[in-house]
Amino acid sequence: MRACAEGVLLYPVYALLFADTGLTTAEISSLFAIWSVVSFACEIPAGALADTWSRKRLYVLGEFTTATGFALWLIWPSYPGFALGFALWGLGGALSSGTLESIVYDELGDSTAYAEVIGRADTTGLLAMLGATLLAAPAFTHGGYPLVGAISIATVTLGGLLALGLPDFDRTSESPASTSGYLSTLRSGLTEATGGNVARAVLVAAAVPGFSALDEYLPLLAGDKRASTAQVPLLFAVTALAMAAGSALAGRIPPATPRPLAVALLLASVTLATGALVPHLAGMMLVSAAFGLLQFAMVHAESRLQESIAGPSRTTILSVAGFGAEVFAVLLYAGFALPLPLPLLFALSAIPLLLTAFLPRRSS
């Protein structure tokens, strides 16, 4: 469930590309809808395909598919080109979702070692995302959208090429990727994901990343606290650094017991609500701390889910959690449509986050 925008320079400016091409706000919103629908529709089926075929090959295919989508934006800068590019990005994200995590856990076979490796990877990814955000402006100044797009395509393609060197168990030698094998794998994964301790772990691993969708509203919250336009990127940098610190810390604390995860979620809910309600820009520091705690919780929730999976449909179950995270995010967006002050909406969102803190418990 790694962020797809890590190191991609297009991410901070692609909405501007669409607007500069002449698209209306409604058309841009429809592009986001296409992206979401494709991601939703392909998430779980792609997970089952990874378990039936090859996780490494599917991950590589996903990266190349995403890069192709970005290339279409540059080659065909119009609504049809953008729509097809978003569809490919959604498909590529679904193909990549859960596959890399499954490969890492299969190699390590231990939740503590997994949390350490993924914590480091997330820290590196978040810092890369911060660096990409800072580099987007000078890159655009020197080469416009073509340069920003070319660097983004190269970054994603390089990620796919590097993934070719990852280990992988070829499942075709034991379970041919036939229709019956695929359906059996899908059914097995869905059954395990909805039963016993795995279901609880899936729920937590889906809910926690869902709350990270709050970052879409951080510029608005900062503006509500009278931050200037120039200050908003700096606040984003503080949040990114807090999240990187959360990932790094998660890798140092073993996730074998639910206590660190529950405490992190509890503290995140308190700091989020408090920071949102403080009518001063200093409150954003508490909000940033809440995102750092959320990132810590994401690593531990995913590690506990990995440890709870006993069957062969690991990527399918991780994809169920990824699908659930998207559902939680959509519900959050719907909640923020309520006609209430933004700080109050942030504070109210801390209530379900607080309830999530009581979900983790040690598996019997």
Side-chain angles (χ1 to χ4, degrees):
M1 304 163 210
R2 312 273 74 79
C4 61
E6 294 168 358
V8 176
L9 270 65
L10 264 175
Y11 191 75
V13 300
Y14 66 72
L16 298 177
L17 168 63
F18 304 152
D20 289 346
T21 307
L23 269 61
T24 65
T25 301
E27 288 173 326
I28 294 174
S29 295
S30 70
L31 292 176
F32 294 151
I34 292 171
W35 186 20
S36 297
V37 168
V38 173
S39 298
F40 268 79
C42 298
E43 178 82 22
I44 297 176
L49 181 59
D51 288 328
T52 308
W53 182 43
S54 165
R55 290 167 180 163
K56 180 180 75 173
R57 294 172 190 169
L58 203 68
Y59 180 82
V60 172
L61 180 60
E63 294 297 280
F64 289 167
T65 302
T66 298
T68 302
F70 291 159
L72 270 175
W73 290 355
L74 302 181
I75 298 171
W76 192 8
S78 62
Y79 183 85
F82 295 145
L84 184 55
F86 259 122
L88 290 174
W89 189 2
L91 175 59
L95 294 176
S96 303
S97 178
T99 53
L100 183 61
E101 293 82 357
S102 294
I103 293 171
V104 173
Y105 193 86
D106 281 344
E107 284 297 303
L108 299 174
D110 176 76
S111 63
T112 299
Y114 177 83
E116 182 177 354
V117 171
I118 291 299
R120 290 176 182 174
D122 280 354
T123 300
T124 303
L126 288 163
L127 293 176
M129 184 172 63
L130 176 60
T133 301
L134 297 175
L135 288 173
F140 181 80
T141 300
H142 285 87
Y145 293 119
L147 178 59
V148 171
I151 295 175
S152 300
I153 295 166
T155 300
V156 178
T157 302
L158 178 60
L161 292 173
L162 290 174
L164 289 172
L166 292 172
D168 191 23
F169 176 71
D170 189 356
R171 286 158 181 80
T172 59
S173 61
E174 287 191 2
S175 177
S178 62
T179 303
S180 60
Y182 173 83
L183 293 178
S184 176
T185 299
L186 177 61
R187 184 165 51 251
S188 173
L190 292 176
T191 300
E192 186 174 359
T194 54
N197 289 323
V198 177
R200 181 181 293 271
V202 166
L203 181 60
V204 177
V208 177
F211 286 108
S212 67
L214 287 167
D215 65 356
E216 301 287 352
Y217 301 96
L218 287 181
L220 299 177
L221 182 64
D224 189 84
K225 298 182 185 300
R226 303 182 186 281
S228 66
T229 302
Q231 289 174 318
V232 171
L234 297 177
L235 293 172
F236 258 106
V238 171
T239 302
L241 290 173
M243 294 174 70
S247 286
L249 183 61
R252 294 179 176 273
I253 299 179
T257 65
R259 190 177 301 277
L261 175 56
V263 170
L265 291 172
L266 176 62
L267 291 176
S269 63
V270 173
T271 53
L272 179 65
T274 304
L277 293 175
V278 170
H280 189 273
L281 201 56
M284 292 301 295
M285 298 300 103
L286 288 174
V287 174
S288 294
F291 273 84
L293 290 163
L294 268 178
Q295 185 65 32
F296 175 97
M298 277 190 272
V299 174
H300 270 228
E302 185 180 312
S303 300
R304 285 177 55 79
L305 173 58
Q306 290 271 25
E307 186 180 36
S308 69
I309 298 171
S313 304
R314 181 173 301 277
T315 313
T316 305
I317 296 171
L318 293 178
S319 295
V320 171
F323 179 85
E326 295 289 345
V327 173
F328 274 102
V330 170
L331 292 175
L332 192 70
Y333 295 148
F336 269 68
L338 295 173
L340 295 173
L342 191 62
L344 180 57
L345 288 172
F346 265 87
L348 290 175
S349 69
I351 296 175
L353 180 58
L354 176 63
L355 296 176
T356 307
F358 296 97
L359 288 175
R361 70 180 181 188
R362 189 175 181 82
S363 300
S364 56

